[in-house]
Structures are given as C-alpha cells and as structure tokens.
Amino acid sequence: MTVPLSILDLATIGKGQTAAESFAGSVAMAQLAEKLGYRRVWYAEHHNMSSIASSATSVLIAHVAAHTSSIRLGAGGVMLPNHSPLTIAEQFGTLETLHPGRIDLGLGRAPGSDQNTMRALRRDPQSADTFPQDVLELQGYLTGPTRVQGVEATPGRGTNVPLYILGSSLFGARLAAQLGLPYAFASHFAPNALQDAVALYRREFKPSEQLAAPHVIAGVNVVAADAASDAQDMLRATMRARVSLFFGGGRQFTDDEADMILDSPQGQHVSQMMKYSAVGTPDAVLEYLDGFARHADADELIVAHQSTGTAERLRSVELLAEAAGLVRV
C-alpha cells in the first residue's frame, strides 16, 4: 500500500451474540491489528442500535487500551453535540493520561441516533449549530488556553489529544480546513460527496499548531477471504444484517425477506451506502484499495472489515495486512 492502513471497528453484535462477546472481539481485533502493523483502531458512537456495542465510546477505548500496548486508539467519532465539551475533554484527557501517546479524538456533529433517542439523550435539536464553537472550546481544554474563564479540564489540560473532524459533507471539510485539523470522510457508508469534500479541504486548508499540511483519512469497507466466493457470501450477509437494522424495527428478517428488500428500490439505498467496498481475495482487495486511495486523494485509509462473524473479520484483518506488506510488531 502507498498509504497507511487503519481500522474502524464497528463493535458489531452478531446474530446470537452478546455485547460482552462483541467487546471480546474488539479486544482481539485491536491486539491483532497491533501485531500486524495497522496504524490505529477507531470506534464510533452510536445509540439505540441493537447490533452495535460502541455507545459508550470512551469506556470501550479504555478497555481495549488496557489490553494492548502500542497501537493508537480513538473515537471515529464522538458525536460532540450529544455531550458538553468539558466532559469529553475530561474523558479523553483521562485516556491520554493513562495511555500517553496513543489516543485520538475524532469529532462528528450527527446525532448517531434517531429523533426519539436524541430526546432520551437530552440533546437539544439545535446543538449541532454550535459544533464549530464546541470544537474550539474542547480544543482549549486539551491544549490551552481555556476558552471558558476559570474552567479547566482535569485530567485534560496540556494533554494535547489530537483532534480530527469527521464528516460526509462539505461542512466538515470546510471546518477541518479552517481549523487546520485532519479530516476523516465517512465514505464507507456515505460515499456521495467524497471527492468534492476532499478537494475543498485541501484547497482551503490553513496550517495550525497541530497540523502543518492537510491529512485526509477515507473510510472504505473490506471483506477479504481466502476464496472470492466466501467474500461475496460475507458481503451479502452483512447487507442482509443492515436491512434488519434499518428496516426491521427490532425484528430480524429471514435471508429471503432481506434479499427481497435488497432487490427493491428501498434496498438500493443499502447497496449505495456500501459503494466503496473491497471484496474478494487479498490481491483483489489490495488492488481495489490502491485505486481507491488515489480516487479519494487520501493520505490514510481506515477500513471497516465487514462480516457478521468475529472469526471472519479477524481473518480479513490478517489477510489484508499480509497482502499490503504491513510490518509486524
């Protein structure tokens, strides 16, 4: 690979699995990624989703960090409008203090949930409007000086946890450029504005104390298997699981029901979400990723290994690392 590889761990709770089993899988994935030479592993904040276990993102990061020793870990991302900047500064300042030099903080402004869940989170529907100001307030708590007179984050102050702006539109790209922060585009599930957003970010980027030159991370799905047919089967299983997540209302569809929905106009949205997916044998996956990195004008790829089973995801992690020539620790 011409760019570094990282992992977005979706902390999936597979069919018949518990959240505890999902967490064990996340630890195993991070340990394997550390051994194989991936740059970082990130976890995303989601709420009220029965198949995703990363709702308490900072707690999961702490657990995985305690079971690894060197790989960078972080949020990809924390949905900042769900929280006060001071609370997040204290959480990630604590993580950085416990695991120095290993913690990233990616920030998004989406709710990571539906309208009812937003209310349950006590989130103000207008809170996304102050996202730029909240990012600056959070940055002040971590790097200094504080932007709120007399208020400091302890732990947090002086930890200089690096911030990343996450996005899937031109808004996030422009904000990351203005603040001189790295930009991570969620092209693994929201592909449409990828090239326009990256071009805008690079064109308008202003250097900062954290970052001298633009840095783009692009998300992409990966299903690597020893046989191409197995990879295609795993991709289909993943898409069926997404149908249940988005359209099931709490119920699990049978494979036949899910396939009918995938073949319908509504189901085409699921396919479009996974537009950027490298699927097949390791060589085929590597060839796709190399082309995708150029297409996205990315400095780093963060890959979401898609499978409904932990063992299959771990095998995908291993196969890609071997094909890409990552350096084992």
Side-chain angles (χ1 to χ4, degrees):
M1 285 296 301
T2 56
V3 299
L5 292 177
S6 298
I7 292 176
L8 176 64
D9 180 359
L10 300 175
T12 302
I13 304 174
K15 191 173 182 180
Q17 268 193 332
T18 64
E21 290 169 326
S22 171
F23 294 146
S26 289
V27 169
M29 180 179 287
Q31 290 173 335
L32 184 61
E34 180 175 82
K35 175 183 175 183
L36 295 176
Y38 285 86
R39 173 169 284 191
R40 67 184 97 240
V41 182
W42 280 1
Y43 309 90
E45 177 186 347
H46 293 279
H47 298 282
N48 194 31
M49 293 187 179
S50 61
S51 62
I52 297 178
S54 53
S55 53
T57 313
S58 59
V59 179
L60 178 56
I61 293 169
H63 177 65
V64 176
H67 289 82
T68 52
S69 60
S70 60
I71 193 167
R72 296 196 69 89
L73 302 167
V78 161
M79 300 300 109
L80 190 55
N82 291 345
H83 313 275
S84 75
L86 177 61
T87 297
I88 297 304
E90 291 169 340
Q91 290 177 4
F92 280 79
T94 298
L95 287 169
E96 175 64 23
T97 302
L98 292 170
H99 307 282
R102 297 182 57 201
I103 303 301
D104 300 326
L105 178 49
L107 301 168
R109 68 179 182 129
S113 59
D114 55 39
Q115 294 295 318
N116 285 338
T117 308
M118 280 180 59
R119 286 191 286 271
L121 287 167
R122 302 297 190 268
R123 171 173 167 163
D124 182 344
Q126 308 305 315
S127 54
D129 296 342
T130 61
F131 180 68
Q133 293 81 8
D134 289 344
V135 171
L136 289 172
E137 182 181 334
L138 172 57
Q139 188 177 50
Y141 292 134
L142 294 171
T143 64
T146 180
R147 291 174 177 265
V148 181
Q149 186 175 1
V151 178
E152 302 282 0
T154 305
R157 180 182 181 183
T159 55
N160 298 308
V161 176
L163 301 184
Y164 297 73
I165 300 297
L166 277 59
S168 57
S169 69
L170 302 187
F171 177 91
R174 182 168 284 114
L175 178 63
Q178 290 172 349
L179 299 182
L181 295 176
Y183 180 53
F185 192 90
S187 36
H188 63 292
F189 77 91
N192 291 341
L194 171 62
Q195 290 182 300
D196 289 343
V198 170
L200 184 152
Y201 168 71
R202 291 193 179 280
R203 184 172 63 248
E204 297 189 4
F205 180 84
K206 298 177 181 178
S208 68
E209 288 188 17
Q210 178 178 326
L211 194 65
H215 185 84
V216 173
I217 303 175
V220 58
N221 301 294
V222 167
V223 185
D226 293 286
S229 58
D230 291 340
Q232 290 295 335
D233 288 344
M234 285 189 280
L235 176 65
R236 191 68 176 180
T238 297
M239 294 178 70
R240 288 167 175 162
R242 289 198 172 194
V243 166
S244 293
L245 178 64
F246 295 137
F247 303 112
R251 63 165 286 201
Q252 290 285 330
F253 292 114
T254 66
D255 288 351
D256 288 342
E257 289 171 334
D259 287 341
M260 287 179 62
I261 294 172
L262 284 170
D263 293 336
S264 71
Q266 301 97 310
Q268 294 306 304
H269 174 64
V270 176
S271 299
Q272 174 61 21
M273 287 175 66
M274 298 190 70
K275 173 182 177 180
Y276 295 124
S277 296
V279 183
T281 60
D283 287 345
V285 166
L286 188 63
E287 182 180 3
Y288 181 96
L289 292 180
D290 204 31
F292 174 74
R294 293 191 299 271
H295 172 79
D297 195 13
D299 301 295
E300 179 179 342
L301 298 183
I302 188 161
V303 301
H305 289 275
Q306 297 286 359
S307 174
T308 56
T310 301
E312 292 84 356
R313 281 196 298 276
L314 294 178
R315 181 60 175 156
S316 183
V317 167
E318 187 173 33
L319 289 173
L320 175 56
E322 291 174 353
L326 300 187
V327 178
R328 286 175 173 264
V329 175

